[in-house]
Amino acid sequence: MTCPIGTDVSKAATILREGGLVAFATETVYGLGGNALDPTAVARIFEAKQRPEFDPLIVHFAERSWLHRLTMHIPSSARMLMDAFWPGPLTFVLPKAEIVPDLVTSGLPTVAVRMPAHPQAQELMRLADVPVAAPSANLFGRLSPTCAQHVAEQLSDRIDYILDGGPSTVGVESSVLQWNKDAAVLLRPGGLSVEDIEAVIGPVMIPSEADHPVAQSSPSPGMLPQHYAPQTPLFLQDAGSPLPEGSRLGLVCLQTPADTASSFACVEVLSPTGDLVEAATRFFAALRRLDACGLDAIVAHPLPETGLGRALNDRLRRATYQL
Ligand code: TXA
Ligand code: MG
């Protein structure tokens, strides 16, 4: 049975309050939401997404008062960032309060919290009057959805309603920060650039790839090496590197490539002007289109490692076929 897609926010709020699952738009990507305080609803999220239970969820809310009910201690630099960027694409991992079910945090003593900026998401959460646990609304390990149709393709027979809020305007998941004593650590580069974060609180720690232990022992288990992946093998390569085997190759790159385009059956240019913000809005949809082209392989050219380029390169590295 496929679930309805619509714009009925009060219907969606009722479903959430009654323990059901609603996919909803945020400015980053679509989320697969359930009442964060209802362990049965949270269990249904893991089941629908086929997500391993060691990978904790972000709890979303529209009212700041929830922050104080869900978390214990808020470092002063976290507070400064909330004042500067909430509602927005920034998630804080903070010591959790008793009321947060262990399933939400996969047994960790911390909980990830975020106030999304999308007005429809805010209305939904205000009407539901519960905090909403929501991973990205895709099957585990696959590409994140940036429109209602993407959600329907993977989850419509597993959830109760898809609330259509149009295409996501940021296009890449939120940046995730945690605190180690007073030092902010970037667990996931995302929709708010490191430059913007550092302009408010000074330098943040950026763990290198090598510091990220795999799977269960990871500080942020969603940072698994293989993640955010299309079905087609993807190779991250500089322009001009030897191409992978295969007669039908696709290319995803920032700007129109000068000479290599003729080697490819399909080319996705993320931003003709080289604008990384525009590139982020097109990123996941471009990979989905390439994935649907029946290609032997997708080649991705790395983006500049600045602004949102850092988050997009991170997703490309995790989508690569051979590490
Ligand atoms: O933009 C976003 O963040 C989207 C929208 C829906 O808000 N959500 C999203 O959720 O991307 P998800 O579940 O796909 O990614 C959440 C990330 C994962 O990397 C997870 O491991 C990490 O946050 N995370 C959640 N709780 C954590 C915790 N207590 N400690 C460390 N990492 C945590
Ligand atoms: Mg995800």
Side-chain angles (χ1 to χ4, degrees), residues 50-98:
Q50 297 173 354
R51 177 167 171 132
E53 289 181 5
F54 61 73
D55 193 358
L57 306 178
I58 297 174
V59 179
H60 302 70
F61 44 81
E63 305 288 349
R64 267 265 199 140
S65 56
W66 279 112
L67 174 67
H68 307 288
R69 294 160 73 177
L70 298 167
T71 66
M72 301 287 283
H73 167 72
I74 305 162
S76 59
S77 55
R79 221 174 266 280
M80 287 162 70
L81 289 171
M82 288 170 187
D83 291 343
F85 299 117
W86 265 9
L90 184 57
T91 294
F92 297 84
V93 173
L94 298 168
K96 90 174 191 74
E98 195 73 37

Side-chain angles (χ1 to χ4, degrees), residues 64-291:
R64 267 265 199 140
S65 56
W66 279 112
L67 174 67
H68 307 288
R69 294 160 73 177
L70 298 167
T71 66
M72 301 287 283
H73 167 72
I74 305 162
S76 59
S77 55
R79 221 174 266 280
M80 287 162 70
L81 289 171
M82 288 170 187
D83 291 343
F85 299 117
W86 265 9
L90 184 57
T91 294
F92 297 84
V93 173
L94 298 168
K96 90 174 191 74
E98 195 73 37
I99 60 161
V100 181
D102 285 333
L103 193 52
V104 171
T105 67
S106 303
L108 292 172
T110 51
V111 60
V113 290
R114 174 165 109 80
M115 270 177 92
H118 197 301
Q120 189 195 55
Q122 294 179 353
E123 194 192 344
L124 171 69
M125 292 186 292
R126 285 209 178 89
L127 286 177
D129 201 23
V130 291
V132 174
S136 51
N138 51 278
L139 291 172
F140 181 69
R142 305 270 282 276
L143 298 169
S144 293
T146 51
C147 66
Q149 193 52 40
H150 293 169
V151 179
E153 281 161 21
Q154 289 186 11
L155 296 179
S156 68
D157 56 345
R158 297 159 175 260
I159 63 178
D160 301 303
Y161 192 64
I162 300 174
L163 184 59
D164 189 346
S168 298
T169 52
V170 174
V172 65
E173 302 85 350
S174 61
S175 305
V176 181
L177 284 175
Q178 183 163 29
W179 271 257
N180 183 353
K181 304 214 170 63
D182 284 333
V185 182
L186 185 72
L187 295 185
R188 177 175 73 180
L192 185 69
S193 72
V194 173
E195 291 87 337
D196 283 348
I197 294 168
E198 292 189 333
V200 174
I201 60 165
V204 300
M205 274 179 55
I206 304 178
S208 72
E209 212 56 19
D211 295 336
H212 275 306
V214 178
Q216 284 93 332
S217 56
S218 167
S220 193
M223 299 302 281
L224 298 173
Q226 178 82 42
H227 214 82
Y228 309 106
Q231 305 291 89
T232 314
L234 184 142
F235 297 84
L236 184 58
Q237 295 187 336
D238 290 317
S241 305
L243 292 174
E245 304 269 315
S247 52
R248 277 180 62 79
L249 300 178
L251 174 70
V252 58
C253 57
L254 183 59
Q255 291 177 280
T256 310
D259 49 352
T260 47
S262 58
S263 317
F264 298 100
C266 311
V267 176
E268 285 286 344
V269 172
L270 295 175
S271 168
T273 60
D275 177 355
L276 292 167
V277 174
E278 181 184 38
T281 66
R282 296 187 178 180
F283 180 74
F284 282 119
L287 287 176
R288 275 171 193 267
R289 279 193 296 272
L290 289 174
D291 212 11

